[in-house]
Amino acid sequence: PKYTPVTLSIYNSSCVKIATLIDNEDKNFGRHTLTFETSMLKSGIYFCVFNTKNQQIVKKLVVL
């Protein structure tokens, strides 16, 4: 297992960052969970962007 710095941010449909949930924190390899309260968000499409040193993963979120 290796630790790697990770960042997890939420962007709106205009690509404006609205939240940073994890900011360059060292995380161990494996599965992790995080709760994000969406009640403050308007209905719409958002993007969850996960960055490590070696990759970027983007997932679409729909808030109703």
Side-chain angles (χ1 to χ4, degrees):
K2 283 172 89 171
Y3 285 90
T4 188
V6 300
T7 301
L8 180 63
S9 301
I10 307 295
Y11 291 82
N12 66 16
S13 59
S14 297
C15 296
V16 175
K17 185 189 299 185
I18 59 166
T20 300
L21 306 178
I22 301 172
D23 189 13
N24 205 33
E25 292 179 22
D26 283 338
K27 296 290 184 185
N28 196 6
F29 177 81
R31 204 173 272 255
H32 300 271
T33 60
L34 179 79
T35 301
F36 175 60
E37 180 60 47
T38 61
S39 62
M40 67 174 189
L41 301 177
K42 295 180 183 178
S43 294
I45 296 174
Y46 296 86
F47 297 95
C48 180
V49 180
F50 177 80
N51 287 301
T52 69
K53 189 168 97 175
N54 298 320
Q55 69 179 357
Q56 181 179 62
I57 300 170
V58 179
K59 295 290 183 177
K60 182 169 70 170
L61 306 172
V62 178
V63 176
L64 301 175

